[in-house]
Amino acid sequence: MHDVSAYEYDSSLYSRYKGARTEFQSDRYNYFLFRLNYYQHYDITSLSEVLIMESLNSISDRYCILLYILRSYLIQQPDKASLIHRYAQKMFAITHDIQLYPFLALGDVSILPNDYYNPLFVRILDAYYTGQYNSAADLCREYVLCDPSDFSVIKIYCRALLFLKNGYRPIVAQSDTFVNHIAFNIYKVMTDTDKDQSLDRLYQLSKNIYGFQIAAALDCFVRQERNASRCETLPLLSINHFDPLYTTIYSDQDSAIRYLESALPYVSDSVALSYQINRARKIVTEDTTVVAYIRNVDNAKIVFDNGEYEKALALWKVIFDQTKQYIPTAQTAVDHIFRAYVALGENSHRDAVQFFVNTYIENKSFVSKVNTKDFINGIKNTRYQGLKIGLDLLIFVFLNAENYPQKQFVLDRYCKYENVNYPSELFSKLQRQNSEKVKLFYTILLHDDILFYHYRLKSTIDVLDEKLKIISFLRNQYPDEKQYAERYTELMHELIAYRGMKKLDDSKIYVNQDDILKYELKNITDLYDRFHKLVANTTGKVYFLVDTIDWSNDEMLTNAASYSDNAVAEVSTQLFSVIRRVFLKSRFGLGTYLSTRIRHGVFEGELRSCLERLNLVYKTAGVQYVPTVYWKHEFHLDENISRQLNDSIILFSRSIDALISSFKDSVIQIHVDENDPSIGDFNYELSSKEICQAMTRIDKESSSAEDFCNRVMEYLWQITEKCLTEIRRKIHDELRPTFITYIRDLQNQICSLSSHQHLKHELDSTINNALEELSGRLAKVEKWFNRQTAKFEDFQLEDHINMAINTIGNYTGVDYELKANLRNARHYLLAEYNPSMFDLLTILFNNMLQYSKPESIRHLNIDTAILSGNVQHLHFENALPDGTDENKLNHIFENRLKSIKSLQSEGGSGLIKALNIVKYDFGNPSNTFDIVAQDGKCLVDVKFNLDNMLVNQHISFTE
């Protein structure tokens, strides 16, 4: 079991138990949610099932859960308060449990025991109310030594420190205690402008002390500070002593007054108690013994509650101006000012919006308790009637609307008003606007996803381009703010990486013609000269093919020309066959890149991974399919239904795998000539007549052997384009419909599970999602079969590493943890190495994830260094499966690195492909690629010379 954050605990627990399948399972899941996360699920609809589930537990366990049930019952049915009060009386007569005090206080307060009234707590209130903050803090420290679970005392302590202005002091001597951690973070919430981190810590603490009395108030405090939904009654039902705060549980004024007056016999001289009684009676007091800020706040609340909004507005504005250094009080003032503007009607709505935005800019924590939900829904429903579409409204909606269409609506309306299409076109029009509002407006657009909903921005690249224009504007306007320069760099990297990724996805068909000429056809001149002379001396004749020779011989180019009666036909065929073979089958040819970029796990990874992620296809172990436990565990299936479902999914998995394999083996293959047994839609078989006509025509247009070879390869590209058109047609017209047919067959097969309604519904929904996602992926695969003609940008090696591991992670569906030192990979490499670097990295990461030690999370390590001589060193490391024979594995590595013929095939070919890229695609045969199994790990070291690869050749590196 690994540690999780509090919010992750909430979401994972809910997702684990969210769907009700059968009535029994629904009751069972509600019970678990109620018991394991009460403050999130106190409001379950039926409480009796919880009692039933607890019926076999000990009496003490049942009593503890009964207290939780009483709290929930009172919240759900407050009209039953008297019934709960009577029941609590009976239990108290037996248990004398102080946890029942809050329930006893619901009714006749005269029966409350003497120890319910704690004079020390009232002394704390008196000291705080009269401004004796040192005394209040000392009394709080004394109090928590006896009762560290009283949240009100901790909160008063922090407020006292706030007014003392001397910083935080531990509430107990032992600083590393829960109560001190709670107090410290509450103080930080009250004093820091950005309080999110402190609230996260408090919420985590509330989970850690979940079973203690203080947890209810702590949970409510965090929700209140985040302006999230909450139940104000829950913390009241955990107060087990007299506290004026408890009066908020009563629905009538008389009960509140009776409760407060019940304490008079114990603390008759209390200033705080007398003040609270007057407040309960709605009496505006001028009692100067109570500090001004408390009097002013309570008096303003009374005026507001009486509906005197103009007067309340004036009072709250004064309070806000006087208490800005005391964030909790300022937050209360801002909330009431906003509410007063709203209550004054439509004519004041513009003032409400403007006040909110101005206050947010001044200190965003001031507005954190303002509930804008009803107001923003109201102005949306009236189509923003009475409100000017300007920066104030845009910012207000951006900050408070819950859905993006509403945000996009006001943005689009404003752009139309200003007669522009994009936010970046507003720069000049906003020059006279408040600069802080302009900055906030554009900053929100940068960090929010609003632009992804802009109807004119059709793609991610369009959005990134727009964001780049915005960040450029902010960077120029605010050159001293480093955040904009850093964000500009991040966006540039993201845009370059995305453009590169899109280009790689839009076209994967490539032949490295430069290296074919450099390495494979370097001795072609003699054969070309013989052909050229024969053609020049022979015209108007018909030629026929003679028997071909074995081109696998390394001496092929030197000895290829042997004259016969059909010399021109023979030499034409020989020359064409040489160029065709290296174009298709050499280490730089179409077959190598086709294998590396598409056939080598990428094709099936793209099409299979989404189905696997949705648990609609299973992985294999050898030749057997291994069912996952997802459906069985998620829906608690019995063995019979689980077996039926697994059989259907295994049958579907076989069909899908056979379809993918068949398409890959029969369509995405190269057929060279009539002597090639391979079948495939990359078909380059030509007749003698076609070859002779093409070669003689090309010869007439050529100026040299190199020019001739390039023209022949361009002729081969013309053939390739026809092949690609046919393959794209087959993907669209044959592969796609077959996929859909198989998925619908699966859907029909699971109809037999209709008795399990929730499972059937989830499967149908999953299958529909699979159809939608698979359609998108097939469209993406279709684009792969285009000639790579896009011009790539220069790229940062670090970006490429991250892009490759993310891509392969998505294909494989394997969870991994990457430990990467990429400090020495931040330089830029030339665009020509962009696709080959990506190919290399995807091969390596695919091997690491596929063959590493099988664990729930696979651990990968990458290290980078610059060695002397401008040599880039990339080190990759992963754990090997237990029991691996390292000597045997190293022998396999050695053989595979020598297997040149594997460049054109799949299965065990990744290493030779990686070696080929490092040495030849990177343009230096001295580059090295080493792999070794050692001490339970697989270690890969790639070293390549950066000379002629760097964008800036003058960068100086240190080891």
Side-chain angles (χ1 to χ4, degrees):
M1 179 68 68
H2 63 284
D3 293 335
V4 296
S5 71
Y7 293 103
E8 185 182 352
Y9 176 80
D10 287 344
S11 61
S12 61
L13 191 66
Y14 178 71
S15 63
R16 178 69 182 86
Y17 294 118
K18 63 181 177 181
R21 281 83 187 180
T22 64
E23 187 175 349
F24 172 73
Q25 287 173 340
S26 176
D27 295 340
R28 185 167 176 263
Y29 296 156
N30 281 333
Y31 165 72
F32 280 123
L33 293 172
F34 186 88
R35 288 289 276 126
L36 298 174
N37 208 6
Y38 176 74
Y39 299 111
Q40 281 280 101
H41 302 284
Y42 62 87
D43 55 350
I44 62 171
T45 54
S46 179
L47 297 168
S48 58
E49 285 79 5
V50 178
L51 287 172
I52 294 171
M53 296 288 187
E54 289 279 326
S55 61
L56 297 180
N57 289 346
S58 68
I59 191 169
S60 59
D61 288 334
R62 281 180 283 160
Y63 175 73
C64 289
I65 201 65
L66 180 60
L67 295 176
Y68 285 104
I69 289 174
L70 286 177
R71 293 173 189 134
S72 292
Y73 186 61
L74 178 62
I75 291 166
Q76 292 177 21
Q77 301 194 50
D79 58 317
K80 302 292 185 181
S82 59
L83 174 65
I84 294 172
H85 170 71
R86 292 195 300 274
Y87 188 75
Q89 279 184 278
K90 294 179 179 179
M91 286 201 298
F92 185 77
I94 300 170
T95 64
H96 299 285
D97 181 11
I98 63 172
Q99 292 185 86
L100 292 169
Y101 284 172
F103 301 109
L104 296 179
L106 292 171
D108 182 5
V109 292
S110 64
I111 67 170
L112 289 167
N114 293 343
D115 62 356
Y116 180 72
Y117 301 93
N118 188 333
L120 179 55
F121 179 77
V122 178
R123 285 171 59 200
I124 291 172
L125 292 179
D126 284 341
Y128 182 75
Y129 274 52
T130 56
Q132 301 173 60
Y133 299 119
N134 266 318
S135 176
D138 291 339
L139 290 171
C140 287
R141 281 194 287 269
E142 178 185 342
Y143 187 99
V144 297
L145 291 175
C146 301
D147 183 5
S149 64
D150 195 313
F151 187 78
S152 293
V153 171
I154 299 173
K155 195 172 175 181
I156 292 170
Y157 176 75
C158 294
R159 286 194 175 226
L161 295 183
L162 192 65
F163 286 104
L164 288 171
K165 301 179 182 178
N166 290 323
Y168 179 76
R169 286 182 291 166
I171 194 169
V172 293
Q174 300 83 7
S175 59
D176 192 21
T177 57
F178 271 112
V179 67
N180 200 59
H181 287 307
I182 291 171
F184 173 75
N185 283 290
I186 290 174
Y187 179 80
K188 296 286 283 182
V189 168
M190 292 180 177
T191 55
D192 286 358
T193 302
D194 189 354
K195 57 188 179 181
D196 287 343
Q197 196 172 34
S198 297
L199 288 173
D200 286 345
R201 292 194 186 106
L202 286 172
Y203 195 54
Q204 189 76 37
L205 287 168
S206 76
K207 297 297 184 185
N208 293 338
I209 54 174
Y210 169 74
F212 290 85
Q213 172 189 329
I214 194 174
L218 183 53
D219 180 271
C220 187
F221 175 79
V222 172
R223 294 174 186 276
Q224 185 181 43
E225 291 296 323
R226 291 200 185 280
N227 206 8
S229 61
R230 57 193 177 274
C231 177
E232 304 283 1
T233 304
L234 269 177
L236 302 178
L237 295 175
S238 294
I239 297 176
N240 55 24
H241 63 78
F242 173 79
D243 186 342
L245 180 64
Y246 185 83
T247 57
T248 57
I249 205 170
Y250 299 117
S251 58
D252 62 292
Q253 180 179 331
D254 292 342
S255 296
I257 294 172
R258 279 196 297 272
Y259 175 82
L260 292 169
E261 290 178 341
S262 72
L264 287 174
Y266 304 96
V267 284
S268 57
D269 58 345
S270 169
V271 173
L273 182 58
S274 175
Y275 177 82
Q276 286 291 336
I277 291 172
N278 286 333
R279 183 187 170 193
R281 289 173 174 156
K282 304 290 184 182
I283 297 175
V284 175
T285 180
E286 299 298 332
D287 184 358
T288 55
T289 57
V290 176
V291 291
Y293 105 84
I294 293 179
R295 283 186 288 112
N296 293 341
V297 166
D298 286 336
N299 289 342
K301 284 182 179 178
I302 291 171
V303 173
F304 183 89
D305 291 343
N306 289 336
E308 302 174 65
Y309 300 120
E310 291 278 8
K311 184 178 179 181
L313 188 61
L315 292 173
W316 282 114
K317 284 183 176 179
V318 172
I319 294 170
F320 179 49
D321 290 338
Q322 294 176 345
T323 61
K324 288 183 179 179
Q325 66 272 39
Y326 309 118
I327 290 178
T329 308
Q331 289 171 335
T332 302
V334 169
D335 177 45
H336 281 82
I337 292 171
F338 181 82
R339 289 164 58 195
Y341 276 128
V342 173
L344 285 170
E346 187 178 298
N347 291 336
S348 295
H349 285 179
R350 183 176 176 181
D351 294 327
V353 169
Q354 189 176 51
F355 170 74
F356 184 97
V357 173
N358 290 340
T359 307
Y360 181 92
I361 290 173
E362 183 178 358
N363 186 337
K364 68 179 183 179
S365 65
F366 286 162
V367 301
S368 63
K369 292 184 182 177
V370 179
N371 188 341
T372 62
K373 184 175 181 180
D374 290 340
F375 176 71
I376 202 162
N377 286 337
I379 61 175
K380 174 190 174 185
N381 293 335
T382 62
R383 308 284 285 185
Y384 308 98
Q385 184 176 339
L387 290 167
K388 179 183 177 182
I389 298 293
L391 276 187
D392 285 329
L393 181 61
L394 262 68
I395 292 170
F396 180 81
V397 173
F398 286 177
L399 292 172
N400 295 289
E402 293 182 350
N403 60 74
Y404 285 105
Q406 185 176 0
K407 298 178 184 182
Q408 175 51 38
F409 175 82
V410 293
L411 176 61
D412 179 50
R413 191 166 166 182
Y414 183 64
C415 286
K416 287 180 178 177
Y417 172 77
E418 294 288 0
N419 197 29
V420 301
N421 293 321
Y422 305 103
S424 60
E425 296 173 347
L426 291 168
F427 296 151
S428 61
K429 297 179 181 292
L430 296 177
Q431 286 179 348
R432 295 184 180 181
Q433 297 274 6
N434 179 290
S435 61
E436 289 300 313
K437 291 182 181 179
V438 173
K439 183 204 288 188
L440 178 58
F441 166 69
Y442 280 124
T443 300
I444 294 172
L445 286 177
L446 274 179
H447 296 285
D448 208 322
D449 287 337
I450 300 169
L451 291 176
F452 283 97
Y453 293 82
H454 195 291
Y455 74 101
R456 290 184 180 272
L457 300 173
K458 303 295 186 183
S459 67
T460 301
I461 288 181
D462 290 342
V463 171
L464 292 175
D465 273 330
E466 181 69 7
K467 286 190 174 185
L468 202 59
K469 292 174 185 175
I470 291 171
I471 196 64
S472 298
F473 168 79
L474 291 172
R475 190 175 65 155
N476 292 332
Q477 292 291 112
Y478 307 97
D480 295 332
E481 297 195 30
K482 293 183 179 180
Q483 59 167 320
Y484 296 126
E486 292 171 356
R487 182 65 178 140
Y488 176 83
T489 302
E490 291 173 7
L491 274 173
M492 279 297 295
H493 288 176
E494 189 176 351
L495 184 59
I496 290 169
Y498 193 87
R499 277 179 174 159
M501 191 68 220
K502 189 175 186 304
K503 287 174 182 176
L504 288 168
D505 274 342
D506 283 351
S507 54
K508 290 181 179 287
I509 306 304
Y510 179 68
V511 175
N512 188 343
Q513 293 179 217
D514 291 339
D515 281 349
I516 285 177
L517 288 169
K518 182 177 179 180
Y519 294 105
E520 301 290 345
L521 297 178
K522 60 184 177 181
N523 297 322
I524 196 71
T525 305
D526 287 346
L527 182 57
Y528 167 72
D529 286 343
R530 294 171 192 173
F531 165 75
H532 180 66
K533 290 175 183 177
L534 278 172
V535 171
N537 295 326
T538 309
T539 58
K541 297 181 180 179
V542 179
Y543 303 102
F544 301 93
L545 280 176
V546 298
D547 291 340
T548 56
I549 64 173
D550 181 9
W551 301 116
S552 63
N553 190 324
D554 290 339
E555 301 296 319
M556 169 188 62
L557 291 176
T558 304
N559 302 319
S562 58
Y563 292 96
S564 70
D565 292 339
N566 296 315
V568 175
E570 183 177 350
V571 177
S572 295
T573 305
Q574 291 170 353
L575 184 57
F576 179 77
S577 296
V578 168
I579 298 173
R580 178 173 58 183
R581 186 188 68 82
V582 296
F583 181 87
L584 299 175
K585 294 291 189 176
S586 73
R587 52 191 166 177
F588 311 111
L590 176 64
T592 296
Y593 293 100
L594 195 61
S595 178
T596 301
R597 296 180 176 181
I598 297 179
R599 293 199 309 254
H600 190 78
V602 179
F603 182 69
E604 54 262 54
E606 183 69 42
L607 298 179
R608 198 183 198 277
S609 60
C610 63
L611 300 173
E612 192 174 302
R613 179 176 51 79
L614 293 170
N615 296 289
L616 292 179
V617 298
Y618 291 152
K619 293 180 179 179
T620 56
V623 296
Q624 298 294 322
Y625 286 90
V626 182
T628 67
V629 297
Y630 172 79
W631 298 110
K632 183 175 182 179
H633 284 186
E634 187 71 10
F635 291 87
H636 290 265
L637 307 180
D638 60 37
E639 289 300 325
N640 183 43
I641 292 180
S642 180
R643 185 176 62 256
Q644 288 182 53
L645 180 59
N646 283 335
D647 289 346
S648 297
I649 293 178
I650 288 172
L651 181 62
F652 176 67
S653 301
R654 284 202 181 98
S655 299
I656 292 297
D657 287 340
L659 176 62
I660 292 172
S661 179
S662 173
F663 195 88
K664 187 175 71 171
D665 293 342
S666 64
V667 177
I668 317 176
Q669 297 291 337
I670 296 172
H671 175 74
V672 179
D673 54 32
E674 67 276 8
N675 297 312
D676 185 357
S678 300
I679 57 171
D681 277 31
F682 287 98
N683 188 347
Y684 297 84
E685 182 177 334
L686 299 173
S687 68
S688 168
K689 182 178 179 180
E690 289 173 310
I691 293 173
C692 287
Q693 287 176 343
M695 294 294 276
T696 52
R697 175 181 55 79
I698 292 171
D699 179 63
K700 291 177 183 179
E701 300 168 352
S702 303
S703 59
S704 64
E706 182 177 331
D707 185 33
F708 176 82
C709 291
N710 277 323
R711 289 177 183 275
V712 173
M713 285 191 279
E714 200 54 45
Y715 173 66
L716 290 166
W717 270 120
Q718 293 172 16
I719 298 172
T720 305
E721 290 290 359
K722 294 178 182 177
C723 300
L724 292 172
T725 300
E726 176 61 12
I727 292 172
R728 292 195 298 269
R729 186 199 65 77
K730 284 191 174 182
I731 293 172
H732 189 274
D733 297 342
E734 297 177 16
L735 186 62
R736 181 195 301 267
T738 308
F739 261 111
I740 293 173
T741 298
Y742 287 166
I743 292 175
R744 291 304 183 197
D745 287 346
L746 173 65
Q747 197 164 26
N748 292 333
Q749 288 172 19
I750 62 173
C751 286
S752 61
L753 305 175
S754 56
S755 59
H756 204 297
Q757 183 180 354
H758 296 289
L759 171 63
K760 179 66 166 54
H761 175 76
E762 185 70 18
L763 282 167
D764 284 339
S765 175
T766 302
I767 286 171
N768 289 332
N769 291 338
L771 280 168
E772 183 178 351
E773 186 170 352
L774 196 58
S775 294
R777 294 201 175 204
L778 283 163
K780 179 180 176 182
V781 168
E782 195 175 326
K783 291 181 180 179
W784 290 355
F785 293 92
N786 285 286
R787 181 179 178 181
Q788 181 183 300
T789 56
K791 293 187 179 299
F792 290 90
E793 285 94 352
D794 300 333
F795 65 98
Q796 190 182 44
L797 182 55
E798 179 182 16
D799 288 342
H800 249 46
I801 291 173
N802 291 324
M803 188 168 67
I805 185 63
N806 289 335
T807 300
I808 295 302
N810 291 335
Y811 282 161
T812 60
V814 175
D815 292 327
Y816 64 89
E817 183 178 284
L818 178 65
K819 183 179 180 182
N821 168 22
L822 303 180
R823 289 192 300 272
N824 290 302
R826 291 175 181 161
H827 38 277
Y828 281 82
L829 303 182
L830 292 169
E832 63 189 272
Y833 301 103
N834 189 314
S836 54
M837 180 63 74
F838 187 77
D839 292 342
L840 170 68
L841 293 168
T842 53
I843 289 170
L844 295 176
F845 287 132
N846 184 62
N847 283 349
M848 292 174 79
L849 288 175
Q850 191 171 355
Y851 300 114
S852 61
K853 182 178 180 179
E855 298 176 291
S856 56
I857 297 179
R858 305 197 181 193
H859 300 277
L860 314 178
N861 291 307
I862 306 173
D863 198 8
T864 60
I866 302 297
L867 308 180
S868 60
N870 253 15
V871 173
Q872 175 77 63
H873 181 199
L874 304 179
H875 175 78
F876 303 84
E877 186 176 306
N878 62 270
L880 291 169
D882 294 335
T884 298
D885 186 334
E886 293 181 2
N887 290 329
K888 182 179 178 181
L889 185 56
N890 283 326
H891 183 66
I892 292 172
F893 289 159
E894 184 179 348
N895 288 336
R896 288 185 176 173
L897 285 172
K898 295 177 182 177
S899 180
I900 301 296
K901 64 180 181 180
S902 296
L903 283 170
Q904 304 286 322
S905 61
E906 291 70 56
S909 63
L911 297 184
I912 188 60
K913 289 171 182 171
L915 176 64
N916 191 65
I917 292 170
V918 172
K919 285 183 175 291
Y920 299 105
D921 284 27
F922 292 176
N924 191 329
S926 298
N927 293 340
T928 62
F929 178 93
D930 298 299
I931 181 168
V932 63
Q934 180 179 306
D935 299 329
K937 295 179 179 179
C938 180
L939 311 175
V940 174
D941 289 282
V942 179
K943 297 175 185 177
F944 53 93
N945 197 300
L946 290 169
D947 290 343
N948 303 318
M949 292 183 72
L950 291 167
V951 172
N952 183 351
Q953 295 298 331
H954 302 290
I955 295 177
S956 59
F957 295 104
T958 56
E959 293 188 43

